[in-house]
Amino acid sequence: MAAKQSSKTIIVSNRLPVRIVKEGEKLAFMPSEGGLATGLGSIYKQGDNIWLGWPGAVLNTKAEEAQTKKELKEQNMAPVFLTEQDIELYYEGFSNETLWPNFHYFNQFSEFNHEYWEAYKAVNQKFADQILKNANPNDTIWIHDYQLLLLPALVRAERPDISIGFFLHIPFPSYESFRLLPWRRELLLGMLGADFLGFHTYDDTRHFLSSVSRLAGIGNEHGHINYNNRQIMADALPMGIDYDKYAEVAAAPETLEREVRYRTSIGSEQLILCIDRLDYSKGIPQRLKAFEKLLERYPEYLEKVSILMVVVPSRDQVGKYKELKEEIDLLVGRINGQYSRLSWTPIHYFYRSFPLHALSAFYRMAHVCLVSPMRDGMNLVCKEFIASKLDKKGALVLSEMAGASKELSDALLINPNNRYQMVEAIREALEMDEKEQMQRMTVMQNTLKRYNIYNWVDLFMNRLSIVKKAQRSLTTKLLDDKSTNTVKSAYKKSKEPLIFLDYDGTLQGFYGDPQAAKPDAELYSIVNGLTKKANVIIISGRDKTTLGEWFKECKVDLIGEHGVWLKAYKEDWHTITNLTDTWKEAISEVLDGYVARTPGSFIEEKDYSLVWHYRKVETGLGELRTRELTSHLKYLASNQNLQVLEGDMVVEIKSTEINKGRAARNWMKRYEGADFIMAAGDDWTDEDTFKVMPSDAYTIKVGSSNSAAKFSVNNYEEVRELLKKMNS
Ligand code: GDG
């Protein structure tokens, strides 16, 4: 007996949420407290789910590897072991010296080194091998970040149907930056192995789509990319934080005790807080220079305001980082040297990391949090600051180059290259009255509470499963000789066959003048051949007069104007009028999902329609969502008789009760005894017909292979060939 194949989720990232520390002969496994680890904890710790990645130490013996495997297995993790050379070339090299600077627009620092590239490919393959060892066809794989851009396609090559999601945590650069990479096409094709690709902001998504189109020559329609017969989706999904955790830590006795201790030693001065990893993308020197300018221009702040600056050590043995560290040290030295008093230090500078409760005490103490990166995918520090402000007092100065600025429009937004603006924004933050602080903080807290890390994880997994479902329902098989014979022999055997045929593009080609597309002799002969045995329905968008005229000599039923007009053979034309609103509940749920992911949008309910408004949504994002919503509804809900209409900043879903699907369904009732059902069509209105067909019907899409139909053919001539064979 075959064992039932379970379906699990596999999370993959360069680093596991654990750190191995070698203590002499022994290995200690320290959990990581990062936001991603917390958010994904709700997934990877469940059942058979698993997180794959590098455990953070190069292991030297088989015994160490075996122990690591065993310990990690107990925590639902599996290691990908990397050598020192892997780390040097793939991680430090290609990931951090090629991709990182390029994606953050620091191209002057990008190294284009072939050895790095080879190592990057090889390590991505190592990850793929590890996934393939663990993955079943029904599993879902969620791959994270820029170190693993090739991984989706490597897995896809071996598991064509598996569900793969990818999330990029750093910015995706403009085409103008990305095109500089010698391996740009390979990287894009690597990413396109995924079914759903998530980015922090709409701009990242837009840049990715533009690179895919211009560098890989693969077009997209509103975020949907058709590639290798798969419909892939790219979308913005800003990552949140574990809001409640930060709020709880901010209220913990240990945090309060630390705050009192730190305050006692610092004094009562106003604090500007900055927390970053040592990196040139963070704009640390620019910020220090702005602070120096502030003191110079507004001497009233001397002895009243200080910066508390935490820089977390990172790669400070590498050239550029070493230089950056030296530059920061010099600037801090210069400013402190010039302005310090015995009782006051302008910059409290720490080049080290702190435990969470210390960080939380800093967040509580800060009057202003200054987050001024030159470029940042999201930036979680500013979100943690907001969550830690239990009394809602304090102000955030935020670079518009951080992804977080798209959500936190109530911060004081700055361009980090504009020193004058930064100085004035810091001043405005220091001077802001409490009422305004609390107003702004309330808005930002509400946003972050709602779009928290758990919500982000749920949304990602939902998106991926919707994309995959739509993809699976839309994959057709090219009608080959074998399937043609199957259709033919089923038709021959049937006693009461029923055939729905769209007209333009299905039975006839397209002409400049629509009236010129009238049936020719061959077509009449085919239709008349079929009607000797079958009930044939011409189901078209054409008006009833034209259809009636063209087929007046044929023994066919007619459906005109996409289902508005119906006419059985020898009967008169009539219309459908009954309206219902039973579809609304299900569609509201879908729309709720869009409202949750699109801040500023809302739903209006009318008697026979629902309206999604996006006038207040970030420019561009509303338009992108419209495309997505329209196609989502078309594919998921059109068998419920809905029409999706785009208006001025609105999308309206109407109960028309009128479409080809409904008309076809009525006709199937009329011919209840049908023992062979076939439908052929070429455009989106025919999708409605395909969707109401019983599962054993032969549905045929003319043109692309993306359809709810089972089979596809290339053009109307091939439809005619098939019908001729059935007649023969
Ligand atoms: C990448 C993208 C994106 C910092 N110092 C200490 C400490 N931290 C914690 C912070 C925060 C985290 O580190 C830093 O998060 P960021 O978002 O700022 O940056 P990266 O981790 O480099 O992240 C970034 C992120 O991915 C998520 O997608 O936002 O744009 O570059 O959580 O609190 N934690 C402790 N001590 C410290 O001294 N305990």
Side-chain angles (χ1 to χ4, degrees):
M1 195 177 76
K4 187 175 172 290
Q5 224 167 37
S6 60
S7 92
K8 63 179 178 300
T9 300
I10 304 177
I11 307 280
V12 191
S13 65
N14 172 58
R15 281 293 306 273
L16 282 174
V18 74
R19 196 162 46 92
I20 297 187
V21 183
K22 290 190 182 181
E23 292 168 348
E25 294 286 283
K26 281 175 53 193
L27 299 178
F29 295 81
M30 326 286 278
S32 132
E33 284 179 359
L36 190 64
T38 316
L40 295 177
S42 55
I43 297 190
Y44 82 94
K45 290 181 184 161
Q46 307 292 317
D48 291 339
N49 295 349
I50 191 166
W51 189 329
L52 298 182
W54 183 52
V58 173
L59 302 177
N60 302 322
T61 64
K62 289 282 163 214
E64 282 181 343
E65 289 190 359
Q67 187 198 345
T68 303
K69 263 191 205 161
K70 184 167 165 283
E71 295 256 0
L72 293 181
K73 194 166 181 213
E74 283 161 19
Q75 300 175 46
N76 281 20
M77 292 185 228
V80 178
F81 294 118
L82 300 181
T83 64
E84 241 153 61
Q85 204 189 23
D86 289 337
I87 294 298
E88 189 192 322
L89 302 176
Y90 139 85
Y91 180 67
E92 299 293 352
F94 198 80
S95 301
N96 290 333
E97 286 185 33
T98 309
L99 293 177
W100 178 274
N102 177 268
F103 281 35
H104 287 85
Y105 299 85
F106 280 85
N107 277 300
Q108 69 277 28
F109 295 160
S110 267
E111 297 282 343
F112 301 139
N113 176 330
H114 202 74
E115 211 187 345
Y116 288 176
W117 167 243
E118 289 301 326
Y120 187 79
K121 282 197 291 185
V123 173
N124 271 254
Q125 186 62 55
K126 267 193 192 181
F127 274 82
D129 295 343
Q130 190 65 27
I131 293 176
L132 294 170
K133 260 191 230 161
N134 285 277
N136 294 320
N138 295 332
D139 291 348
T140 298
I141 299 169
W142 185 1
I143 300 167
H144 290 263
D145 229 0
Y146 63 103
Q147 301 90 352
L148 301 172
L149 297 178
L150 300 176
L151 189 51
L154 292 172
V155 177
R156 173 74 55 212
E158 301 300 321
R159 297 272 195 283
D161 293 324
I162 207 162
S163 181
I164 305 178
F166 178 87
F167 192 86
L168 186 71
H169 289 263
I170 65 173
F172 194 93
S174 142
Y175 152 79
E176 290 296 347
S177 181
F178 189 74
R179 71 197 292 211
L180 301 177
L181 292 167
W183 310 279
R184 60 208 187 175
R185 206 179 127 81
E186 290 90 329
L187 292 165
L188 289 174
L189 297 185
M191 293 173 80
L192 290 178
D195 299 302
F196 175 61
L197 295 119
F199 301 86
H200 279 308
T201 70
Y202 165 64
D203 281 334
D204 298 321
T205 314
R206 197 165 57 78
H207 289 151
F208 170 72
L209 291 172
S210 140
S211 280
V212 168
S213 151
R214 300 175 74 173
L215 296 169
I218 304 164
N220 76 85
E221 218 175 310
H222 326 303
H224 295 275
I225 303 163
N226 276 318
Y227 174 58
N228 280 352
N229 271 336
R230 274 183 313 120
Q231 193 169 71
I232 300 164
M233 171 88 201
D235 199 4
L237 217 57
M239 181 175 160
I241 58 164
D242 186 351
Y243 190 95
D244 292 341
K245 180 180 117 183
Y246 281 93
E248 275 161 29
V249 175
E254 184 183 343
T255 304
L256 304 186
E257 180 269 316
R258 279 179 186 266
E259 184 184 2
V260 172
R261 199 146 40 91
Y262 300 155
R263 256 301 161 206
T264 314
S265 33
I266 286 186
S268 61
E269 67 211 29
Q270 280 193 295
L271 279 182
I272 301 170
L273 178 66
C274 308
I275 300 178
D276 304 276
R277 195 169 47 74
L278 180 73
D279 198 278
Y280 44 80
S281 65
K282 303 290 185 183
I284 302 172
Q286 289 82 346
R287 172 194 310 162
L288 288 170
K289 287 177 192 161
F291 183 62
E292 186 177 33
K293 212 26 139 217
L294 179 88
L295 297 180
E296 186 188 307
R297 187 174 299 156
Y298 301 108
E300 62 267 33
Y301 290 133
L302 294 173
E303 299 184 71
K304 301 269 175 2
V305 173
S306 297
I307 280 198
L308 171 54
M309 188 168 83
V310 177
V311 177
V312 179
S314 173
R315 296 188 269 145
D316 48 17
Q317 300 312 309
V318 177
K320 271 151 293 223
Y321 289 78
K322 202 164 166 234
E323 283 165 26
L324 175 66
K325 168 83 172 37
E326 283 164 8
E327 189 183 359
I328 295 170
D329 290 350
L330 272 176
L331 279 167
V332 172
R334 183 171 90 197
I335 299 168
N336 279 349
Q338 179 165 356
Y339 292 103
S340 283
R341 305 283 187 276
L342 278 175
S343 58
W344 174 69
T345 309
I347 302 169
H348 302 283
Y349 167 41
F350 302 91
Y351 184 64
R352 61 186 174 90
S353 57
F354 285 87
L356 186 61
H357 288 91
L359 221 57
S360 180
F362 294 161
Y363 287 139
R364 285 180 58 100
M365 289 159 71
H367 290 84
V368 176
C369 188
L370 174 56
V371 178
S372 58
M374 310 313 285
R375 199 60 72 161
D376 214 336
M378 171 53 68
N379 193 289
L380 301 179
V381 167
C382 59
K383 293 188 168 182
E384 294 164 8
F385 167 73
I386 289 164
S388 308
K389 283 297 186 193
L390 304 182
D391 61 3
K392 302 187 196 301
K393 288 184 204 152
L396 173 64
V397 177
L398 177 60
S399 163
E400 60 188 48
M401 308 301 167
S405 68
K406 299 287 189 282
E407 289 168 277
L408 302 175
S409 47
D410 280 82
L412 299 175
L413 297 181
I414 50 146
N415 172 352
N417 296 300
N418 186 339
R419 190 170 307 158
Y420 174 79
Q421 188 194 30
M422 204 185 320
V423 169
E424 292 309 313
I426 297 171
R427 181 173 161 79
E428 193 185 339
L430 290 168
E431 300 298 327
M432 191 183 284
D433 66 51
E434 281 191 358
K435 190 166 162 241
E436 185 178 350
Q437 289 175 27
M438 292 169 85
Q439 271 169 355
R440 287 173 182 260
M441 200 59 89
T442 306
V443 176
M444 294 193 283
Q445 288 188 341
N446 289 343
T447 302
L448 297 186
K449 260 182 225 165
R450 184 161 183 196
Y451 301 105
N452 64 27
I453 183 78
Y454 299 103
N455 182 259
W456 176 76
V457 169
D458 285 351
L459 285 173
F460 187 95
M461 293 313 264
N462 279 341
R463 289 303 290 142
L464 176 57
S465 90
I466 288 171
V467 170
K468 200 67 196 172
K469 245 186 237 157
Q471 205 185 71
R472 285 183 175 140
S473 72
L474 291 178
T475 311
T476 66
K477 183 169 162 274
L478 202 65
L479 190 81
D480 55 12
D481 288 347
K482 194 168 160 231
S483 328
T484 303
N485 287 336
T486 312
V487 176
K488 183 180 164 181
S489 81
Y491 178 67
K492 291 281 174 205
K493 267 188 228 149
S494 67
K495 302 237 156 13
E496 238 186 278
L498 180 59
I499 302 175
F500 294 90
L501 298 169
D502 167 51
Y503 187 78
D504 294 273
T506 303
L507 294 177
Q508 182 61 290
F510 291 101
Y511 291 78
D513 169 14
Q515 289 304 317
K518 64 174 187 281
D520 50 79
E522 181 188 64
L523 183 52
Y524 279 129
S525 137
I526 290 171
V527 171
N528 292 334
L530 289 172
T531 54
K532 281 187 194 141
K533 172 168 173 148
N535 289 307
V536 175
I537 297 108
I538 305 294
I539 182 165
S540 161
R542 290 262 177 184
D543 63 90
K544 68 183 203 304
T545 317
T546 307
L547 285 178
E549 183 57 33
W550 285 355
F551 289 97
K552 65 175 186 254
E553 305 291 337
C554 303
K555 209 180 137 227
V556 293
D557 298 340
L558 299 172
I559 296 175
E561 289 182 33
H562 299 124
V564 177
W565 292 99
L566 315 166
K567 180 188 177 309
Y569 176 57
K570 283 199 170 159
E571 288 178 18
D572 287 334
W573 288 101
H574 68 277
T575 61
I576 302 175
T577 46
N578 298 342
L579 292 173
T580 74
D581 65 353
T582 48
W583 53 271
K584 273 197 199 158
E585 203 180 315
I587 295 303
S588 286
E589 275 175 25
V590 175
L591 290 178
D592 281 343
Y594 281 81
V595 170
R597 289 188 302 120
T598 318
S601 70
F602 64 94
I603 302 168
E604 178 194 1
E605 183 171 351
K606 297 185 186 172
D607 284 344
Y608 290 103
S609 73
L610 289 171
V611 190
W612 184 70
H613 291 255
Y614 63 93
R615 189 173 299 281
K616 290 184 179 169
V617 175
E618 183 194 341
T619 315
L621 177 63
E623 284 71 16
L624 184 84
R625 285 282 192 266
T626 303
R627 310 259 53 83
E628 193 191 318
L629 175 62
T630 310
S631 50
H632 187 162
L633 288 168
K634 251 185 223 164
Y635 284 120
L636 292 183
S638 58
N639 59 354
Q640 300 178 61
N641 296 330
L642 299 175
Q643 229 177 28
V644 184
L645 305 169
E646 290 176 48
D648 182 17
M649 299 291 185
V650 295
V651 175
E652 185 153 2
I653 301 100
K654 273 192 177 196
S655 169
T656 63
E657 297 289 317
I658 290 163
N659 67 32
K660 284 186 176 178
R662 173 170 173 148
R665 198 165 18 212
N666 280 346
W667 242 254
M668 284 191 287
K669 274 194 206 130
R670 180 182 279 259
Y671 297 113
E672 242 170 3
D675 52 356
F676 169 96
I677 301 181
M678 177 176 157
D682 72 311
D683 72 15
W684 63 268
T685 63
D686 301 305
E687 294 297 314
D688 298 334
T689 312
F690 299 145
K691 280 176 195 150
V692 299
M693 293 289 127
S695 58
D696 57 355
Y698 297 96
T699 45
I700 297 163
K701 166 87 174 177
V702 186
S704 89
S705 57
N706 257 310
S707 164
K710 260 184 224 155
F711 298 105
S712 66
V713 294
N714 291 311
N715 47 43
Y716 80 94
E717 286 99 337
E718 290 184 15
V719 178
R720 288 189 181 194
E721 283 312 306
L722 170 69
L723 298 177
K724 278 196 255 174
K725 282 187 184 138
M726 288 161 62
N727 276 336
S728 66

